[in-house]
Amino acid sequence: MNYLEAIILGIVQGLTEFLPVSSSGHLELAKVLFGDQSLPKESLTFTVVLHFATALSTIVIFRKEVFEILKGLFQFKKNEEFLFSIKIIISMIPAVIIGLMFEKELEAFFNRNVLLVGFMLLITGLLLFLADKAKNTKKSVSYKTSFIIGISQAIAMLPGISRSGATISTSVLLGIDRTKAARFSFLMVVPLIFGKVAKDFMGGEISFANENFGIMSVGFIAAFVSGLLACQWMISLVKNSKLYYFSVYCFIVGSFAIGYAYFYMR
């Protein structure tokens, strides 16, 4: 991978992390088109670095909310911020369990698996289509729904299942207010990404001595900047019930990926 490809992949990650079209799926498709021959573990590490960049952009956009949540959490008072942080923690449980128990199996999916990405994009498209038709309500996230949304986030660890698309769609189908659903979706992934990056740093997968560190840094910056723009855009789109267009997009790209896998990768 060269620097230009890293920048392009970073932009792809920054845009598709917040737009409900699967950032990991698009990264895998882009790597195939670029002829990336990296090992599954290296490929996943680069993907994690880019996700870390978009997690930071989430913190910048929601800096006020993040500060209030942290303040409420460490005050140990039963206020709105403390209860919201508990729901975030509950939502993390399914992904943490899957990530720790099936880390090697997950790495195997990040190996130019275009056919899997294609079918998962079709599922993402179906979720978005159903969510777009759901009635808008004013419900908030509860402890029960936070866990259910967490399950959808765990499933979205598969490339092709959009994390934001799956979690926002699940929230809307559960009757949660669209704006609150988007806010919860974007904030719930931040602790997971920071935890994964910290684990990889301590494990040596990501280090300043890594020969690919320069390329990772360039991709990181591109993902962070594009993520800032996409995050704000997505909040507006969800609020105005425009998920249908993304469902059509997922159907088209998913079908293309399946066709490409069958006719060009056999």
Side-chain angles (χ1 to χ4, degrees), residues 211-226:
E211 60 181 6
N212 294 321
F213 187 80
I215 288 177
M216 288 185 180
S217 299
V218 169
F220 176 92
I221 295 170
F224 176 75
V225 174
S226 56

Side-chain angles (χ1 to χ4, degrees), residues 18-77:
F18 298 104
L19 302 181
V21 293
S22 178
S23 59
S24 59
H26 277 71
L27 285 177
E28 291 306 300
L29 294 178
K31 289 172 187 175
V32 169
L33 294 176
F34 287 151
D36 177 30
Q37 298 294 328
S38 59
L39 297 173
K41 189 176 186 65
E42 295 172 345
S43 181
L44 179 58
T45 299
F46 183 70
T47 300
V48 169
V49 169
L50 297 188
H51 276 80
F52 181 52
T54 48
L56 285 179
S57 63
T58 302
I59 291 176
V60 172
I61 297 298
F62 291 102
R63 55 191 178 277
K64 182 179 178 181
E65 288 87 345
V66 171
F67 176 75
E68 292 297 327
I69 290 170
L70 291 175
K71 186 174 70 173
L73 180 62
F74 290 107
Q75 284 180 342
F76 297 101
K77 295 180 180 179

Side-chain angles (χ1 to χ4, degrees), residues 21-23 89 117 120-121 125 156 158 187-189 200 204 214 225 247:
V21 293
S22 178
S23 59
I89 293 172
V117 170
M120 294 303 101
L121 280 171
L158 293 171
L187 289 173
M188 67 189 288
V189 74
D200 286 351
V225 174
S247 71

Side-chain angles (χ1 to χ4, degrees), residues 20 124 127-128 152-153 156 161-171:
T124 295
L127 282 172
L128 294 171
S152 67
Q153 176 168 252
I161 297 289
S162 167
R163 194 206 64 81
S164 62
T167 53
I168 291 174
S169 295
T170 300
S171 301

Side-chain angles (χ1 to χ4, degrees), residues 222-250:
F224 176 75
V225 174
S226 56
L228 291 175
L229 301 174
C231 184
Q232 298 179 80
W233 186 28
M234 185 57 192
I235 295 171
S236 175
L237 290 172
V238 173
K239 185 177 181 180
N240 295 314
S241 305
K242 293 184 178 180
L243 296 176
Y244 171 78
Y245 302 105
F246 292 104
S247 71
V248 173
Y249 175 84
C250 287

